[in-house]
């Protein structure tokens, strides 16, 4: 948000903290989806059977699963990183706001 009169902007650090929580919830959801996908792989085993197509699928399955779960883990990790960076920025803006706040008199 820009400040009145143009000379910069103002950040609502509390909103950054709230958004970090939203991103955490998304990360947790993605973890649940990953777990459900893993369970489906475990439950289904070799869905194409024992013919030549099933045999070829089984041969490639471990490598495919590794690629899928490596990509999932990287994505979940990046979402977690976004949350962490939002929190760090919120803390920085909060400190700056407090350092520049006028003295409060009681």
């Amino acid at each position: 948000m820009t400040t009145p009169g143009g000379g910069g902007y103002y950040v609502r650090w509390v909103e950054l903290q709230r958004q970090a929580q939203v991103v955490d919830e998304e990360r947790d959801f993605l973890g649940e989806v990953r777990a459900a996908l893993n369970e489906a792989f475990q439950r289904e085993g070799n869905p194409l059977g024992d013919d030549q197509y099933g045999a070829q699928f089984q041969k490639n399955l471990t490598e495919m699963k590794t690629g899928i779960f490596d990509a999932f883990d990287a994505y979940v990790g990046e979402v977690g990183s976004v949350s962490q960076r939002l929190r760090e920025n919120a803390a920085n803006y909060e400190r700056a706001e407090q350092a520049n706040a006028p003295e409060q008199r009681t």
Side-chain angles (χ1 to χ4, degrees), residues 61-71:
L61 182 60
T62 300
E63 186 177 326
M64 289 186 318
K65 281 174 37 178
T66 298
I68 289 167
F69 287 107
D70 284 353

Side-chain angles (χ1 to χ4, degrees), residues 38-82:
N38 189 43
E39 288 174 16
F41 271 116
Q42 299 301 320
R43 183 178 55 250
E44 295 301 323
N46 184 1
L48 296 180
D50 294 324
D51 62 8
Q52 67 184 20
Y53 302 108
Q56 186 62 37
F57 178 77
Q58 187 64 32
K59 188 173 164 183
N60 297 328
L61 182 60
T62 300
E63 186 177 326
M64 289 186 318
K65 281 174 37 178
T66 298
I68 289 167
F69 287 107
D70 284 353
F72 226 113
D73 292 341
Y75 182 60
V76 171
E78 186 58 32
V79 170
S81 175
V82 168

